[in-house]
Amino acid sequence: MGKSTHDCVASSGVKKGPWTPAEDQKLLAFVQKHGHGNWQSLPQKAGLQRCGKSCRLRWRNYLRPDIKRGNFSLLEDQTIIQLHALLGNRWSAITAHLPKRTDNEVKNYWHSRLKKRLALKGYDPVTHKPKTTIFGFANGSTDEPKTGSNLNHIAQWESARLQAEARFVRDSELHKQAYHPYNNNDISAASSILLGHNKDFGPTDQLFGQNAPQCLDILRAWESILMSNHSKAAGGQDHVNSFGNHLAGDFEPPIISAISSNGSLMDCFFHEPVGQCFDENYGTSITEPFATVHHKNNGACLEDFGLWEIIMQREKKIV
DNA sequence: AACATTTGCAACCGCACTCGG
DNA sequence: CCCGAGTGCGGTTGCAAATGT
């Protein structure tokens, strides 16, 4: 398939390869003045010897004013690893959680750095699980092979994850149809707003009024839980890098429940074992499960984690 | 210093999807 | 329902810079 008639290869006289500063300036000036509108017709209007697709890509990945460039922070590293474990190579979805980063940049960063880092630590960058032999032993470790109950447990996790993801997709679609305050071309921005990342748009309550979608930023939620748990265990210290050391030995995915102020219970979904985060100080790695918390009755995600009381349970015992 | 190899990243390619006529 | 235009997205490529021999 494909639309080869719209590809740069089919157009005669179009320039390819790296963009010059003069070309950048032309594109930037045109978009700032007129907006991009139709990318196909833009090059001619802007006086560029490029195809529309190339212009769009250049704008999207380089010239947009709201792009952050430079080194990735530790938190961004963790976010990418965790989301990659949950979402796979869905770079646009991952980038929606990384304000001002482009999917191309995140993708490149994964392939050039993070993937290798995971491999060095003995984790499969695809599955995010320790590399195992056909007998189920982790390479170079003394871990026991997976028992029947372990496999069953993993199957339950995976089932719950798939349910949660399906619901998340469904809810996203419903919300998009119901509110559609954004251009369809800017799903990233929409996601950022829903997740409260984009300060430029103000609180979601202001944006949506009474109809605000309930959506939980799973990363923030999980960090909150880890913070809370770790603070109790480590005398209130909450340095992010110390999580790994604390949790590496005996960490088990907690069961999370969320209850509202009026006492209604949320359904809870988990994904285990997903993100591997590296403790730069101690060279250890930890496994962090994801929790996607949905309203028991309407399936909506929690929007503001701070509004809800989170109960941590481990082995069915509230801590 | 010269050459080979590796790395990082911008840009390209082509498939899939949405939407309007 | 079909088709074509336009766009989104993920995989891949190509090249300059960095590093190794």
Side-chain angles (χ1 to χ4, degrees):
Chain A
M1 254 180 63
K3 305 284 182 189
S4 60
T5 52
H6 303 130
D7 291 338
C8 300
V9 287
S11 311
S12 59
V14 296
K15 191 184 167 195
K16 289 168 69 174
W19 280 65
T20 64
E23 286 177 313
D24 282 346
Q25 190 53 46
K26 272 187 184 177
L27 179 57
L28 190 60
F30 184 87
V31 174
Q32 282 177 343
K33 191 171 180 182
H34 303 101
H36 60 72
N38 184 335
W39 285 111
Q40 293 304 317
S41 58
L42 184 145
Q44 197 178 11
K45 292 177 186 169
L48 285 159
Q49 301 293 102
R50 295 272 182 175
C51 67
K53 202 169 183 176
S54 180
C55 292
R56 176 185 157 273
L57 206 67
R58 184 63 178 171
W59 171 258
R60 189 179 158 84
N61 289 338
Y62 200 84
L63 295 176
R64 265 187 337 187
D66 59 337
I67 288 179
K68 180 167 85 177
R69 307 196 73 81
N71 293 339
F72 282 71
S73 67
L74 180 61
L75 184 60
E76 285 176 312
D77 284 3
Q78 290 178 336
T79 302
I80 295 168
I81 291 170
Q82 290 171 334
L83 286 172
H84 186 269
L86 180 65
L87 302 168
N89 291 354
R90 288 154 63 183
W91 302 113
S92 61
I94 292 171
T95 307
H97 292 265
L98 295 159
K100 301 188 176 183
R101 295 290 188 183
T102 69
D103 49 4
N104 205 38
E105 192 179 17
V106 170
K107 180 174 60 179
N108 283 334
Y109 186 61
W110 168 261
H111 285 301
S112 63
R113 310 273 179 84
L114 297 180
K115 193 169 76 173
K116 291 172 186 172
R117 209 192 291 174
L118 277 176
L120 274 174
K121 295 287 182 180
Y123 289 91
D124 185 333
V126 178
T127 64
H128 289 250
K129 292 172 182 171
K131 288 174 183 168
T132 56
T133 69
I134 56 172
F135 301 108
F137 289 96
N139 281 347
S141 83
T142 56
D143 288 358
E144 292 178 3
K146 287 182 171 59
T147 64
S149 65
N150 279 342
L151 289 171
N152 184 47
H153 185 52
I154 289 168
Q156 286 178 359
W157 281 109
E158 186 61 14
S159 171
R161 185 188 69 79
L162 290 170
Q163 284 180 48
E165 195 169 348
R167 247 196 246 195
F168 181 76
V169 169
R170 189 193 63 204
D171 291 345
S172 298
E173 289 304 311
L174 284 174
H175 289 139
K176 197 165 68 180
Q177 288 168 18
Y179 308 111
H180 57 80
Y182 327 101
N183 181 330
N184 271 347
N185 295 334
D186 203 352
I187 299 302
S188 295
S191 301
S192 295
I193 296 165
L194 285 174
L195 297 172
H197 280 150
N198 196 329
K199 303 289 189 292
D200 295 336
F201 288 84
T204 48
D205 280 353
Q206 284 176 19
L207 190 66
F208 297 108
Q210 297 260 327
N211 296 322
Q214 294 183 307
C215 189
L216 167 71
D217 181 335
I218 54 177
L219 291 171
R220 263 192 295 143
W222 183 241
E223 278 167 15
S224 300
I225 292 160
L226 279 179
M227 283 283 193
S228 156
N229 191 40
H230 179 69
S231 295
K232 288 174 194 165
Q237 292 176 5
D238 58 1
H239 187 262
V240 171
N241 273 354
S242 64
F243 286 152
N245 196 43
H246 170 61
L247 295 168
D250 62 352
F251 181 71
E252 287 181 23
I255 298 165
I256 302 167
S257 299
I259 57 172
S260 71
S261 51
N262 65 13
S264 63
L265 181 67
M266 304 296 111
D267 277 345
C268 303
F269 296 105
F270 308 94
H271 182 260
E272 176 261 16
V274 284
Q276 274 80 31
C277 296
F278 297 102
D279 185 328
E280 302 290 344
N281 293 333
Y282 299 95
T284 58
S285 64
I286 61 171
T287 299
E288 294 182 5
F290 280 107
T292 309
V293 185
H294 292 262
H295 193 282
K296 190 175 182 181
N297 296 325
N298 62 18
C301 299
L302 290 175
E303 182 205 13
D304 185 348
F305 200 68
L307 293 176
W308 304 83
E309 182 182 350
I310 302 303
I311 300 171
M312 276 194 66
Q313 297 173 307
R314 183 169 289 181
E315 295 173 355
K316 298 179 182 174
K317 196 174 92 181
I318 296 176
V319 296

